[in-house]
Amino acid sequence: MKTNTPLLKVNNAGIRFGGLKAVSDVNLELNQGELVGLIGPNGAGKTTFFNLLTGVYVPTEGSIELDGERVNGLAPYKITKKGISRTFQNIRLFSELSVLDNVKVAYHSLAKHSMISSIFRLPPHFSGEKEMEEKAIEFLKIFNLDPFMHEKAKNLPYGQQRRLEIARALAANPKLLLLDEPAAGMNPQETEELMHLIALIRERFSLTILLIEHDMLLVMGVCERIYVLDHGQLIAQGTPEQIRNNPKVIEAYLGEEVS
């Protein structure tokens, strides 16, 4: 259910690498339950912005708040525990592990049993492992990956690897899911299936989703609002229709001024 308090609030956030401003003065808000797009030309700073949100980079200016709590400077694993999970532009699975184990890895960050119980194989270890495996299998069923649970991740077709990466991100029990070009490398049929999958997981898990994507059919088809980055700065925001007809956005993509 949506509330009036933003789940994510980004205030004048930015980062410098030496003298280069990779992202500058970004202001962005996401409300509970929204599905929002982040688009822009190659090199616009979109993935860098995701890296700021997830603690890979620490902002050199501004602030990032999740549920009213500032998360600037927290380690990535702490931000994951706070409720932000992500996928990557280039698939980052544990290729030699099974499909099931790839999802179980995410649950280990939320494990209730202690390291001591795991080292000495105490009862809490076995009950905890059983619970994680049952939950992981439930996720695989949602994504129709359960028939392949014992296959190595590297043996899955590309589209299914994408689905597995999203399943793993969801297994971390996020409040906010960041999807970095989930349709990259997919054919039109796989992209259409992905559109339906994103809508499904948003409703089923009451998630807030921020989506980076170059496939405009996907973005315009699933997003309620869209932010546009160019050269590290926000140049527009609005509904899909507003963005589609925004002269600044057209200029950024076409590289020429629109009269």
Side-chain angles (χ1 to χ4, degrees), residues 91-198:
I91 296 175
R92 298 186 185 180
L93 296 172
F94 298 101
S95 60
E96 294 294 332
L97 292 183
S98 70
V99 169
L100 178 61
D101 285 341
N102 265 273
V103 178
K104 286 176 65 177
V105 163
Y107 279 118
H108 276 281
S109 67
L110 306 172
K112 298 175 183 177
H113 56 278
S114 68
M115 185 181 297
I116 295 297
S117 69
S118 294
I119 291 172
F120 292 101
R121 294 293 193 268
L122 300 177
H125 164 78
F126 292 104
S127 61
E129 287 292 319
K130 182 180 178 183
E131 181 183 0
M132 284 189 285
E133 182 158 317
E134 289 173 349
K135 288 181 177 179
I137 292 173
E138 286 178 15
F139 267 102
L140 292 178
K141 288 179 178 178
I142 293 169
F143 287 84
N144 297 318
L145 291 171
D146 52 306
F148 315 104
M149 69 172 72
H150 299 302
E151 289 279 345
K152 288 187 177 181
K154 69 178 183 180
N155 294 334
L156 291 181
Y158 183 85
Q160 290 182 343
Q161 288 189 29
R162 281 285 181 193
R163 295 165 76 93
L164 176 57
E165 191 179 34
I166 296 173
R168 184 180 62 184
L170 283 172
N173 194 31
K175 301 173 185 176
L176 170 61
L177 177 63
L178 308 178
L179 300 176
D180 193 348
E181 295 194 34
M186 288 187 172
N187 61 43
Q189 181 180 344
E190 289 172 332
T191 300
E192 185 175 352
E193 291 172 355
L194 178 66
M195 285 177 60
H196 295 302
L197 178 63
I198 291 171

Side-chain angles (χ1 to χ4, degrees):
M1 185 174 68
K2 295 181 182 180
T3 67
N4 294 325
T5 303
L7 175 68
L8 179 74
K9 188 170 185 178
V10 180
N11 299 294
N12 303 113
I15 186 169
R16 290 174 178 266
F17 297 106
L20 173 67
K21 277 190 173 183
V23 173
S24 179
D25 264 342
V26 172
N27 291 284
L28 179 148
E29 289 188 2
L30 299 181
N31 297 313
Q32 177 65 40
E34 279 194 303
L35 204 170
V36 177
L38 179 64
I39 66 173
N42 287 328
K46 304 182 295 297
T47 295
T48 299
F49 181 66
F50 267 24
N51 287 338
L52 291 177
L53 296 181
T54 54
V56 176
Y57 299 146
V58 178
T60 52
E61 58 189 48
S63 65
I64 299 169
E65 297 177 3
L66 182 70
D67 259 354
E69 181 181 356
R70 187 178 173 115
V71 295
N72 294 49
L74 293 182
Y77 77 93
K78 291 184 178 180
I79 291 178
T80 298
K81 285 189 174 183
K82 294 288 184 184
I84 299 179
S85 189
R86 72 176 292 181
T87 65
F88 294 87
Q89 183 176 348
N90 299 311
I91 296 175
R92 298 186 185 180
L93 296 172
F94 298 101
S95 60
E96 294 294 332
L97 292 183
S98 70
V99 169
L100 178 61
D101 285 341
N102 265 273
V103 178
K104 286 176 65 177
V105 163
Y107 279 118
H108 276 281
S109 67
L110 306 172
K112 298 175 183 177
H113 56 278
S114 68
M115 185 181 297
I116 295 297
S117 69
S118 294
I119 291 172
F120 292 101
R121 294 293 193 268
L122 300 177
H125 164 78
F126 292 104
S127 61
E129 287 292 319
K130 182 180 178 183
E131 181 183 0
M132 284 189 285
E133 182 158 317
E134 289 173 349
K135 288 181 177 179
I137 292 173
E138 286 178 15
F139 267 102
L140 292 178
K141 288 179 178 178
I142 293 169
F143 287 84
N144 297 318
L145 291 171
D146 52 306
F148 315 104
M149 69 172 72
H150 299 302
E151 289 279 345
K152 288 187 177 181
K154 69 178 183 180
N155 294 334
L156 291 181
Y158 183 85
Q160 290 182 343
Q161 288 189 29
R162 281 285 181 193
R163 295 165 76 93
L164 176 57
E165 191 179 34
I166 296 173
R168 184 180 62 184
L170 283 172
N173 194 31
K175 301 173 185 176
L176 170 61
L177 177 63
L178 308 178
L179 300 176
D180 193 348
E181 295 194 34
M186 288 187 172
N187 61 43
Q189 181 180 344
E190 289 172 332
T191 300
E192 185 175 352
E193 291 172 355
L194 178 66
M195 285 177 60
H196 295 302
L197 178 63
I198 291 171
L200 170 68
I201 62 178
R202 174 213 184 181
E203 293 301 322
R204 178 157 185 167
F205 298 101
S206 301
L207 275 175
T208 305
I209 298 175
L210 182 60
L211 167 75
I212 292 176
E213 188 51 66
H214 284 294
D215 189 315
M216 288 299 102
L217 286 177
L218 190 154
V219 172
M220 298 295 174
V222 301
C223 294
E224 299 165 300
R225 294 190 296 118
I226 299 171
Y227 287 89
V228 187
L229 269 179
D230 187 32
H231 294 97
Q233 294 187 310
L234 282 178
I235 61 169
Q237 59 175 293
T239 65
E241 186 64 24
Q242 290 169 333
I243 295 302
R244 186 182 289 114
N245 298 301
N246 187 301
K248 288 185 178 180
V249 177
I250 298 171
E251 180 183 348
Y253 274 96
L254 298 181
E256 57 187 23
E257 187 173 354
V258 178
S259 58

